[in-house]
Amino acid sequence: MKAIFSFCCALMIFSVFQTDAQSKKVIPITDKALETKIQALMKQLTLEEKISMLHANGIFSAGGIQRLNIPQIMTDDGPLGVREDVKEGWGSANLTTDSATFFPNGSALAATWNPELAYRYGHDMGEEARARGKNVMLAPAFNICRVPLNGRTYEYYSEDPFLNSRLAVGSVKGIQSQHVAACVKHYIVNNQEIERGRVSVDVDERALREIYMPAFKATITEGGAWTIMSAYNKLRGTYCSENDYLLNQVLRGEWKFKGMVISDWGGTHSTVAAANHGLDLEMGSRPPYNTYFFADKLLDSVKAGKVSMKIIDEKVHRVLWVLMHTDMSDNLPAGSLNTPEHSKTVYDIASESIVLLKNDKNMLPLNLSGIKSISVIGDNATHTFHLGGFGAGVKARYEVTALQGLQNRLGKTIELKYAQGYSGVYQPYGKKPRLETAKADPALIAEAVATAKSTDMAILFVGGNRDYESESRDRKTLELPFSEQVLVDSVTAVNPNTIVVVVGGAPYDISKIKQNNHTIVWSWYNGSENGNALADVLLGKINPSGKLPFTFPAALKDSPAIALDAYPGKDLQEEYKEGILVGYRWYDTKKIEPLYCFGYGLSYTSFKYSGLAVAKKLFKPTETITATLKVKNTGKYAGKETVQLYVGKAESKVERAEKELKAFKKVNIAAGQTATVTLTIPIKDLAYYDVDSHSWKVESGAYKLMAGTSSRDIKESVVVTVL
C-alpha cells in the first residue's frame, strides 16, 4: 500500500525526494532532513510495532504500520523479472494482472560484457516492479561462479570479480532509478547448492577480499544499493545471517552501508545472535509468522535485556530509511509493464549475449541462396524458459521460442521442418525420477534423422533447461543431459550442413561437438525475445558479440575446486583450497588448456589490434594508468568487439594469478574502420590484500598490461612501473 501524506498532517511530509524547479529533475533531500523525518516516526512507534516491522507477515511481505501510514516491505523475486503473485503455500494467486517481461538470465547478461545493458535491464525491471507495487526487488544475484556444476550458475554472472562489479553496479543503479530497492545477493560465498543451508565455508581472507567481496562492495560504495540479502551458508562456522564480521564490521563498518540486511527465506537461525550481529529483517514463507526468530522471540529477548532497544531502533531506522527511498518518497514513478521498450531491452541483451563458438566452414551468417528447406531439431527449439525448476520464474506475457523466431524470419520463404529429437523432461524427485542420464528415445532419434535427411540443412538445438539447471541442487556432471550427444551424432551423420545451437546458463562438456562439428553457437535462457534475437544472429542481421563469462573446462577434473578435492566439502565443511586462483586465474596460471577460455567469442568479422600504448611508464600509487590502442575491423561486416585489458606481475612478494581482468570496453566498429579505444586502470586497483596488516597494498615494480580478445588470446602488451 502506498502511503499518501498531505501538508496538513500532524506528521512531517515523508519524502526523500524533491523537484528542482528549473531542471525538473528529482533530487534527493539532505541526510539531515531525512533523519528528521525518520525520527519523527520512530517516536510514535511502540515496541510491539517496531518488532512487527522486522519479520515477514507473508511470503513476500513484512512490516507495515497502518495507523502511521507506514507501508509494508513488498519484495519480489528476481532476477529473471517480476515474479507472479503467489498465495500461502507458493501456489499461484491466479491473477490476470501479474504477467511480466521475462529478462535474460544472469550469465546471459554477463556474456554481453555491456554495463549499459545492465543498467537498462535494472531500469526496466524496476519499472515493472514499481507497476506491480513492489518496493524491494530481490536482484541482482552475482555470486562468483566457482564451480561449474552450481545449480545457480545460470542465475549468477561470471567467474570474475571485476566483470561482476561493473554489471552489478549498473543493474543496481537501474533498479533504484525507479524508487525500488535493489537487494543484492547472496552475501557471501554462496557458490554451491549442495547443503547450502548448512555448509560452512573456510576461505582465506585474501581470496575473500579479492575474489568474493569486490562486487558486493562495489554495489554498496558505487551503486548505493539499499538492501542486501545474507546467504544461507556459514562463513568460518557462523551463519552469514548472524555473522558479525560480515554484517557489522565489513558491511556497515568498512563499506558504510546504510540500508537493510534481509535474510534469505528460512535463512535465519537465532534470535539474539542474529539481532546483535547485524540482521535487520527475517523473511520466510511459512506461517505462523509470530513464531519467527524476529517476532515474539525477539520481543521477549528485548524485555529480558538480551537485545537492547538501541539495536531494535537501529533496525527500524534502516527499514524506514529504505521505505523513505521507495514507497514513502515523493514523485513516485508510475511504473510500466510489458512495454515495447522493455521488449527491446530484452532483445538487445539477448542478441549481444549469444556467443559464436565455432564457424569453420563459414556457414554463418546463413547464406540462403539455394536453400529451400531447413530442419529445426531438438526439444530446446520449442522449449520455453520463463518457468521451470525450483526458484524464481516469471509468468511471461509471451516468450518467442527458437522455432518461432525462425518462423518469424524465414517462414514465408523457407520450408521449416521440426523434429523433437529428445525429451527435455527432467524430474529429479519422486518415485520414478527421470534423470539426465535417461537413454535416447529411438523413435525420436529416427524422426530427427529422417527430417534432417529431407532438408538442405539442419539447425540442431541441445543443452539444458530451467528444470535441469535449478536452485536447490547442483548438477552431477558436465555432460549434456538427455542423451543429446546421440542426437547430435545421428543428425550430423546424415546432414553435414548442421549448425549446433547449445542452450544453457552454465558450462557443459561439448568437447565432442567441438571436435566433430564445424558450426557451434551458444545461446542462453534469453528472455521473451529469445527466438527473434537468435534468428537475427543466425541470419546476420546481428553480428554476434557475446563473450563467455566463465571458463569451460575440458574435463570436470580440471576445475580448481574439483582438482583440489575442495567440493562439495566433507562433514559440512568446505575449504576453498584454490584461494585466489578461481576460474581463468587457475587455468592460465597452471597452464591447463580449457575447452573454451574466459572472454572467448567469435564474430562474423575480424579485428586487428595494434599500438597499445600508455602516456608514461612510471606511476605513483595515487595515479591512474590510461592505455590506448587501435582496433581495426578488417572484415566485411560491422561488429562489436569487447577489448579486454589484463594485468600481470611476474615478480611478486605474494602469489599472483598470471593475469587478472582490470578493464574492458565494448566498441562498435564499421567494416574497414579503426577505433581508438581508451582504457583506464587506477593504480589502487593493482593492490593485493595483505592479511598481516589487514590492508590493501600496491606493490612497487613492473606490471604487464595485456590487451586481447580473451584471457588466452593476447594481442598487445606493454610494461609499466609502479614506484
Side-chain angles (χ1 to χ4, degrees):
M1 181 180 69
K2 296 181 180 178
I4 303 175
F5 301 89
S6 67
F7 285 96
C8 59
C9 286
L11 298 176
M12 302 177 68
I13 302 292
F14 295 105
S15 164
V16 295
F17 294 94
Q18 58 189 15
T19 303
D20 183 289
Q22 293 181 336
S23 67
K24 303 295 184 182
K25 293 181 178 179
V26 177
I27 56 176
I29 64 175
T30 64
D31 287 343
K32 183 177 180 181
L34 173 61
E35 184 63 26
T36 300
K37 297 174 189 301
I38 292 176
Q39 290 302 328
L41 273 179
M42 294 278 291
K43 291 177 181 178
Q44 299 182 68
L45 288 166
T46 67
L47 172 59
E48 288 73 16
E49 287 173 330
K50 290 177 180 178
I51 298 297
S52 74
M53 294 175 66
L54 305 181
H55 65 84
N57 56 24
I59 291 180
F60 286 114
S61 62
I65 306 298
Q66 189 171 2
R67 74 177 184 89
L68 295 177
N69 289 324
I70 298 174
Q72 290 182 315
I73 294 291
M74 295 297 298
T75 69
D76 194 275
D77 255 338
L80 299 176
V82 185
R83 184 179 187 146
E84 70 175 313
D85 287 323
V86 297
K87 57 188 178 182
E88 296 292 351
W90 292 95
S92 172
N94 295 317
L95 303 179
T96 59
T97 56
D98 60 347
S99 65
T101 300
F102 168 31
F103 290 88
N105 65 285
S107 50
L109 179 62
T112 71
W113 289 61
N114 191 334
E116 293 180 5
L117 285 178
Y119 178 86
R120 287 173 57 190
Y121 154 91
H123 173 277
D124 291 4
M125 189 180 295
E127 282 192 332
E128 301 218 344
R130 175 51 56 202
R132 290 270 302 279
K134 316 298 182 183
N135 51 31
V136 177
M137 195 68 191
L138 305 177
F142 47 81
N143 288 89
I144 290 291
C145 299
R146 173 182 179 254
V147 181
L149 298 176
N150 183 8
R152 300 189 86 164
T153 295
Y154 83 93
E155 190 176 335
Y156 294 156
Y157 284 174
S158 84
E159 67 188 24
D160 183 75
F162 183 75
L163 178 57
N164 276 15
S165 296
R166 296 307 93 211
L167 297 170
V169 167
S171 299
V172 166
K173 287 183 175 181
I175 292 170
Q176 294 187 170
S177 72
Q178 301 306 301
H179 300 214
V180 174
C183 183
V184 299
K185 61 183 189 179
H186 305 86
Y187 183 63
I188 199 166
V189 290
N190 171 220
N191 306 116
Q192 67 185 58
E193 291 299 280
I194 294 178
E195 294 289 3
R196 65 177 184 178
R198 300 194 297 165
V199 70
S200 179
V201 172
D202 184 10
V203 55
D204 71 77
E205 190 66 12
R206 187 176 168 213
L208 186 67
R209 296 279 182 161
E210 294 187 19
I211 303 296
Y212 299 100
M213 279 187 172
F216 286 100
K217 179 181 180 181
T219 60
I220 304 303
T221 60
E222 296 179 52
W226 296 333
T227 66
I228 189 169
M229 183 186 293
S230 58
Y232 278 123
N233 51 275
K234 300 174 183 177
L235 174 68
R236 300 166 186 159
T238 302
Y239 279 108
C240 291
S241 59
E242 54 187 61
N243 196 303
D244 181 73
Y245 172 70
L246 287 177
L247 303 182
N248 287 334
Q249 296 179 43
V250 175
L251 183 63
R252 295 197 175 98
E254 296 180 26
W255 302 347
K256 309 303 179 186
F257 178 62
K258 295 182 179 180
M260 180 171 59
V261 177
I262 302 174
S263 79
D264 209 333
W265 271 233
T268 306
H269 300 272
S270 68
T271 298
V272 176
N276 289 333
H277 295 157
L279 185 68
D280 296 315
L281 179 61
E282 178 187 8
M283 296 303 294
S285 57
R286 295 180 180 177
Y289 295 101
N290 68 299
T291 63
Y292 279 34
F293 290 106
F294 271 24
D296 292 349
K297 294 183 181 71
L298 182 56
L299 179 62
D300 292 342
S301 296
V302 173
K303 291 179 178 179
K306 296 178 181 178
V307 178
S308 69
M309 274 305 304
K310 179 176 181 295
I311 292 291
I312 298 300
D313 285 345
E314 287 174 350
K315 297 182 190 306
V316 174
H317 185 287
R318 293 176 193 126
V319 174
L320 290 172
W321 187 89
V322 171
L323 287 169
M324 293 285 180
H325 285 80
T326 57
D327 280 13
M328 295 175 77
S329 65
D330 201 2
N331 303 302
L332 271 179
S336 56
L337 275 171
N338 299 302
T339 67
E341 292 78 12
H342 297 176
S343 293
K344 182 61 165 59
T345 293
V346 171
Y347 175 87
D348 289 347
I349 294 171
S351 61
E352 286 200 25
S353 74
I354 294 168
V355 184
L356 180 61
L357 295 179
K358 191 174 181 181
N359 196 24
D360 281 1
K361 290 192 175 181
N362 294 317
M363 283 193 66
L364 294 176
L366 288 172
N367 181 356
L368 298 177
S369 60
I371 300 294
K372 297 180 180 180
S373 60
I374 299 175
S375 55
V376 180
I377 298 171
D379 188 76
N380 270 347
T382 58
H383 210 103
T384 58
F385 305 110
H386 57 277
L387 294 172
F390 178 87
V394 181
K395 188 167 76 176
R397 178 166 291 181
Y398 75 95
E399 179 183 346
V400 180
T401 67
L403 178 59
Q404 289 170 342
L406 290 167
Q407 289 171 333
N408 290 342
R409 301 301 192 256
L410 299 175
K412 294 182 180 179
T413 57
I414 303 289
E415 182 184 10
L416 299 175
K417 298 182 179 180
Y418 172 69
Q420 184 180 1
Y422 68 93
S423 170
V425 174
Y426 180 58
Q427 298 170 330
Y429 308 119
K431 294 182 179 180
K432 293 183 178 181
R434 178 180 173 82
L435 303 178
E436 68 275 13
T437 54
K439 293 182 179 180
D441 185 323
L444 292 178
I445 295 291
E447 180 191 19
V449 167
T451 303
K453 276 184 176 181
S454 70
T455 56
D456 297 319
M457 65 177 300
I459 304 176
L460 176 58
F461 290 84
V462 293
N465 57 44
R466 294 262 337 280
D467 290 315
Y468 184 55
E469 295 181 44
S470 173
E471 180 184 350
S472 84
R473 59 181 180 267
D474 288 352
R475 290 183 290 152
K476 295 179 176 64
T477 175
L478 286 181
E479 294 178 9
L480 286 170
F482 316 124
S483 295
E484 291 168 348
Q485 188 63 55
V486 176
L487 175 66
V488 175
D489 294 342
S490 301
V491 169
T492 54
V494 299
N495 193 330
N497 294 324
T498 295
I499 296 166
V500 180
V501 179
V502 189
V503 180
Y508 284 86
D509 181 359
I510 54 172
S511 55
K512 191 173 182 182
I513 296 176
K514 181 181 180 182
Q515 178 181 345
N516 297 337
N517 294 82
H518 47 70
T519 311
I520 311 171
V521 174
W522 185 275
S523 191
W524 311 86
Y525 308 131
N526 246 335
S528 296
E529 286 288 320
N530 170 34
N532 289 333
L534 179 61
D536 286 343
V537 167
L538 297 178
L539 290 167
K541 180 180 178 181
I542 300 291
N543 193 342
S545 62
K547 300 281 189 176
L548 291 179
F550 31 60
T551 305
F552 280 43
L556 183 59
K557 64 180 177 59
D558 294 338
S559 183
I562 308 300
L564 297 173
D565 193 23
Y567 166 86
K570 297 175 182 178
D571 300 324
L572 300 178
Q573 304 289 320
E574 182 167 13
E575 181 184 0
Y576 283 19
K577 298 177 184 177
E578 69 278 11
I580 62 168
L581 298 183
V582 177
Y584 70 92
R585 287 167 167 81
W586 168 267
Y587 293 91
D588 292 356
T589 303
K590 300 294 185 180
K591 311 302 181 187
I592 299 170
E593 189 68 28
L595 184 66
Y596 288 108
C597 67
F598 175 76
Y600 176 86
L602 302 177
S603 171
Y604 294 151
T605 192
S606 55
F607 298 98
K608 181 180 179 181
Y609 288 43
S610 63
L612 177 64
V614 290
K616 61 178 186 175
K617 294 294 183 72
L618 298 178
F619 292 88
K620 298 176 182 178
T622 56
E623 294 182 306
T624 296
I625 300 169
T626 299
T628 59
L629 77 158
K630 295 185 182 300
V631 180
K632 182 177 182 180
N633 184 336
T634 57
K636 59 182 180 179
Y637 298 99
K640 294 180 179 179
E641 170 69 343
T642 299
V643 179
Q644 302 162 41
L645 189 59
Y646 297 85
V647 177
K649 192 176 194 313
E651 297 181 3
S652 177
K653 299 175 184 177
V654 296
E655 181 185 34
R656 299 257 189 177
E658 180 186 88
K659 64 177 77 75
E660 297 180 313
L661 182 71
K662 294 296 182 182
F664 64 88
K665 183 172 289 186
K666 195 166 193 175
V667 290
N668 190 16
I669 310 174
Q673 297 299 304
T674 299
T676 298
V677 180
T678 300
L679 298 157
T680 59
I681 303 175
I683 295 296
K684 66 179 179 62
D685 287 358
L686 304 181
Y688 70 91
Y689 188 80
D690 182 62
V691 295
D692 294 328
S693 64
H694 306 290
S695 63
W696 292 91
K697 289 187 175 180
V698 176
E699 196 175 1
S700 61
Y703 290 81
K704 187 177 182 181
L705 276 58
M706 296 163 275
T709 67
S710 71
S711 72
R712 288 285 177 119
D713 187 19
I714 301 301
K715 302 295 189 183
E716 292 276 310
S717 64
V718 66
V719 175
V720 300
T721 300
V722 176
L723 301 173

